[in-house]
Amino acid sequence: MKGFVPPRMQVSNEPLPITRTITITEGISVKDLAELLGVRAKDVIARLLARGVFATINQTLDAELAQEIARQFGAETNVITFEEQAANEAAAEAGVTAAAEAEAMQIRPPVVTIMGHVDHGKTTLLDAIRHTNVAGGEAGGITQHIGAYKVTVADPNSPAYGREIVFLDTPGHEAFTRMRARGAKVTDIVVLVVAADDGVMPQTLEAIDHSKAAGVPIIVAVNKIDKPDALPDRVKKQLADRGLMPEDWGGNTVFVDVSAKQKTNLNLLMEMICLVADMQELKANPDRPATGVVLEAKLDRGRGPVATVLVENGTLRTSDYFVVGNVFGRVRAMLDDRGMQLEVATPATPVEILGLEGLPQAGDQFVVAADRDRARDIADYREQKAREAALAKSSRVSLDKLAEELKGAGTKELNIILKGDVQGSVEVLGDLLTKMSTEKVKIKILHSGVGAITETDVLLASASNAIIIGFNVRPERKAQELADQEKVDVRLHSIIYELQDEMKKAMLGLLEPVIKETYLGRAEVRDTFRIPKVGTVAGCFVQDGSLKRDAEVRLLRDNVVVYKGKIGSLRRFKDDVNEVRNGMECGIAIAGYGDVKVGDVIEAFKTESVAAEALV
């Protein structure tokens, strides 16, 4: 009959009785929802119009709205995240059934997190295991970011010979509590490093709490036993009082006495890690598409957004499409912890990934998507939701904020713009500074981001009367000039607790005389030469100001400070000179440092002690 519509497709304002359950994902489109409900897309659009929502067939819907529409068509809904759906779809496309999944499970290397108090030797211990020198490259010898490394047991006499272990080196300072917590969430075993000459400290207790909250076993490495004032039994007693009873005292916590500098008992420590891992029966399926977690993310001038990802399950391959948070991408290249390029990454492998469209957040879930277009759609949907949330947050100032300001008459607000070299540091510093607010001084972070301090940051600071804090980054040349012109206060730090101390003193109005830095000039490295008995000499062109023989210098690579020191030699042609001015070429040797590369910038400055002005 002409115009006849089957009963299940008739549109009525009255909801149908609930008769079934469907599974939907976040950001489901009108078309996909209609297919799941077994109705025409225009019927769903009609219901949306009745609610005052104008939508097209390809428009994405909020989960809450999709649930309400589904109920009107007689269906209850289960909502899953895109990661869950994408993993299921990708596994189904690869033909991985539940039975095949169980058969394909293989033993994987354990993921071990190194935790403990600052300066108790965590990174030095890992250096000894890896035979490298990570601590030497950290500011003040303190780990500022998460590092991930895969190590193979090389001692043929060890029962664990040939076994692989993945180490996560998390920072030890109290401000990195959240980063350590993130490390504990992705780890299988925690190695708690405690210095035998220092004992249990506040961050040691925090590490224990994080490990227990994550439900992972703890192995205690009592470090620095080679020191004359080492008291390993005191450490055992302190930890036993806090619930970590040593095995030789009748408990179930493994204790290993080690010396990172003397490389004592390192093989025993790795054997214990493998033994505890065997008891956990750690397995993964390498035959399915990869899932994992972002440990760290940063912007690289030459390579773009780069993420350090730990593959938790499945195998990641170059050319795979993926979604991580609200970022979509395709794996262009993968590098291991030693910078070697990989084609595939198996479970429990940390890799650096190139090919992201944007910068993900540290801690975001990483999932390979079978459908490229769907992956792009969900990334766009999440980006839109993030923008809406940010706009809603900024628009909720109205009278409520005015009332709060009137109630808190006399309260000073300190506006801050925060820039760092990697996402994890920015996130943690933002949390640290916000928590430092008091009744008299409220700290407000107007903007935070990764990369060099730009002109836009300075203009925002000038307009909002804010200060700029740079952590391991420098202002761009024009940004520094603009900051001087606009009288914007730019504070640069590379060690977190120095920043914390300065902020505390500033909030109390107790800033002591500080070292003021005066910019002298900068030169670009055009070429490098290796000269016997002298070392590496950089052939430079002075772009701005002048460079003096007695000046201090810092070496910048992509606007990030690589080294800070003094000029060892300054020459023009074959002559030693005291000063080289703007527009001239010269040869510069930095005292005690030779890793200079073409494209680096050498910035000269002098320092003097001046009375500090309070920030508030």
Side-chain angles (χ1 to χ4, degrees):
M1 185 183 294
K2 188 176 180 182
F4 173 75
V5 179
R8 72 182 182 88
M9 292 190 179
Q10 288 179 350
V11 180
S12 167
N13 290 329
E14 294 297 323
L16 299 176
I18 303 298
T19 57
R20 59 212 162 107
T21 301
I22 62 173
T23 300
I24 65 173
T25 184
E26 58 175 323
I28 190 168
S29 67
V30 171
K31 179 185 176 185
D32 292 340
L33 180 61
E35 288 177 358
L36 287 171
L37 292 170
V39 300
R40 295 178 301 188
K42 70 177 186 179
D43 295 340
V44 175
I45 292 172
R47 291 294 176 102
L48 288 167
L49 279 171
R51 298 175 59 85
V53 178
F54 296 88
T56 63
I57 193 170
N58 292 318
Q59 189 161 327
T60 54
L61 303 174
D62 287 334
E64 187 177 339
L65 180 58
Q67 283 179 299
E68 292 178 12
I69 296 298
R71 282 196 203 98
Q72 292 192 348
F73 285 98
E76 280 289 352
T77 52
N78 291 327
V79 182
I80 62 172
T81 65
F82 173 72
E83 279 80 8
E84 293 170 324
Q85 186 208 33
N88 294 339
E89 287 179 355
E93 188 168 303
V96 182
T97 63
E101 177 99 9
E103 287 182 14
M105 297 297 274
Q106 298 179 11
I107 293 174
R108 63 167 176 81
V111 180
V112 180
T113 299
I114 307 287
M115 288 188 175
H117 189 74
V118 64
D119 202 31
H120 274 203
K122 301 179 300 300
T123 307
T124 310
L125 177 62
L126 189 53
D127 290 346
I129 293 172
R130 295 179 63 223
H131 306 294
T132 59
N133 180 23
V134 177
E138 296 283 4
I142 300 166
T143 304
Q144 308 286 348
H145 321 129
I146 286 183
Y149 317 100
K150 183 177 269 192
V151 175
T152 303
V153 180
D155 183 6
N157 298 319
S158 171
Y161 175 65
R163 295 277 296 269
E164 290 183 325
I165 302 170
V166 177
F167 285 96
L168 301 185
D169 177 27
T170 58
H173 188 266
E174 61 180 353
F176 287 94
T177 297
R178 286 174 61 184
M179 201 180 285
R180 282 205 306 276
R182 185 180 298 127
K185 286 176 187 172
V186 298
T187 193
D188 303 311
I189 299 167
V190 165
V191 172
L192 182 64
V193 178
V194 187
D197 62 337
D198 203 8
V200 173
M201 301 296 283
Q203 281 78 47
T204 312
L205 300 178
E206 286 179 15
I208 294 171
D209 292 339
H210 290 312
S211 307
K212 288 183 176 177
V216 293
I218 298 174
I219 296 175
V220 178
V222 183
N223 195 20
K224 304 186 182 182
I225 59 167
D226 55 309
K227 288 201 168 185
D229 54 348
L231 296 170
D233 284 341
R234 182 186 66 175
V235 173
K236 288 185 178 181
K237 182 180 183 308
Q238 289 174 332
L239 291 175
D241 292 340
R242 288 163 176 83
L244 296 181
M245 186 67 70
E247 283 184 322
D248 51 353
W249 290 10
N252 54 10
T253 303
V254 177
F255 277 69
V256 182
D257 292 345
V258 299
S259 169
K261 287 201 171 179
Q262 303 297 326
K263 299 187 178 180
T264 307
N265 287 341
L266 298 187
N267 285 327
L268 177 60
L269 176 61
M270 290 196 282
E271 286 171 24
M272 291 298 104
I273 290 171
C274 292
L275 179 62
V276 173
D278 290 342
M279 292 170 66
Q280 289 184 272
E281 296 185 350
L282 304 171
K283 292 185 177 181
N285 178 7
D287 298 330
R288 63 172 296 151
T291 59
V293 65
V294 175
L295 299 176
E296 196 51 85
K298 63 182 178 181
L299 279 173
D300 188 292
R301 188 175 70 176
R303 302 183 297 170
V306 179
T308 302
V309 175
L310 176 67
V311 180
E312 295 181 304
N313 199 8
T315 298
L316 182 63
R317 295 176 172 83
T318 51
S319 300
D320 279 348
Y321 290 101
F322 61 85
V323 174
V324 50
N326 58 0
V327 175
F328 159 77
R330 185 183 187 188
V331 180
R332 304 288 182 194
M334 286 189 294
L335 305 172
D336 65 11
D337 59 292
R338 297 179 187 273
M340 303 297 291
Q341 194 153 333
L342 303 175
E343 291 296 320
V344 295
T346 52
T349 301
V351 287
E352 256 194 353
I353 290 179
L354 281 65
L356 295 99
E357 298 291 330
L359 195 67
Q361 298 292 318
D364 281 348
Q365 287 297 309
F366 176 96
V367 60
V368 169
D371 185 347
R372 175 182 179 274
D373 294 332
R374 176 71 176 131
R376 175 177 285 170
D377 289 345
I378 198 67
D380 291 344
Y381 167 76
R382 287 179 173 176
E383 181 65 31
Q384 178 189 343
K385 297 302 290 181
R387 279 199 302 267
E388 288 174 2
L391 287 171
K393 187 177 180 182
S394 62
S395 64
R396 282 198 297 268
V397 292
S398 63
L399 296 175
D400 293 334
K401 184 174 180 182
L402 178 61
E404 286 177 10
E405 288 181 352
L406 290 173
K407 283 180 189 174
T411 299
K412 292 185 180 179
E413 188 171 79
L414 177 59
N415 294 327
I416 287 177
I417 291 167
L418 178 63
K419 297 300 286 285
D421 54 344
V422 295
Q423 184 67 41
S425 295
V426 171
E427 180 186 341
V428 172
L429 281 167
D431 191 48
L432 165 71
L433 293 171
T434 304
K435 286 180 179 176
M436 288 175 65
S437 295
T438 64
E439 292 180 5
K440 296 201 172 178
V441 183
K442 181 182 176 185
I443 293 181
K444 181 179 179 183
I445 296 178
L446 298 179
H447 171 69
S448 62
V450 175
I453 298 166
T454 63
E455 289 179 84
T456 307
D457 298 324
V458 177
L459 289 171
L460 176 59
S462 176
S464 55
N465 195 26
I467 69 165
I468 298 175
I469 293 178
F471 188 73
N472 271 336
V473 295
R474 308 289 306 168
E476 293 177 352
R477 181 177 166 185
K478 289 185 178 179
Q480 183 64 60
E481 292 173 359
L482 185 61
D484 294 338
Q485 180 183 330
E486 296 288 333
K487 307 295 183 190
V488 171
D489 193 1
V490 180
R491 303 272 169 155
L492 305 173
H493 290 273
S494 60
I495 300 178
I496 192 166
Y497 54 73
E498 289 182 359
L499 164 61
Q500 187 179 12
D501 290 343
E502 182 185 68
M503 292 301 298
K504 282 180 180 175
K505 289 174 181 177
M507 291 167 68
L508 294 171
L510 297 176
L511 274 181
E512 298 171 359
V514 294
I515 303 299
K516 183 184 177 184
E517 183 180 296
T518 304
Y519 170 80
L520 295 177
R522 60 195 286 146
E524 182 186 11
V525 178
R526 298 282 176 88
D527 205 349
T528 58
F529 309 93
R530 188 80 185 169
I531 298 177
K533 298 183 181 179
V534 176
T536 302
V537 174
C540 301
F541 177 79
V542 182
Q543 297 176 315
D544 184 37
S546 64
L547 274 70
K548 297 183 179 180
R549 176 71 181 270
D550 59 348
E552 293 181 78
V553 292
R554 61 171 62 87
L555 185 69
L556 308 179
R557 190 168 295 155
D558 295 336
N559 279 309
V560 175
V561 180
V562 177
Y563 183 77
K564 185 176 177 181
K566 289 198 170 187
I567 292 178
S569 165
L570 182 64
R571 289 196 172 196
R572 181 152 166 76
F573 302 111
K574 293 185 179 181
D575 300 325
D576 282 320
V577 293
N578 290 324
E579 183 179 10
V580 182
R581 296 183 180 276
N582 183 19
M584 293 182 175
E585 293 181 340
C586 62
I588 301 174
I590 300 176
Y593 189 78
D595 186 23
V596 183
K597 297 182 180 178
V598 175
D600 288 351
V601 172
I602 296 174
E603 186 177 278
F605 61 96
K606 67 177 181 179
T607 57
E608 56 183 335
S609 180
V610 296
E613 298 177 5
L615 296 177
V616 295

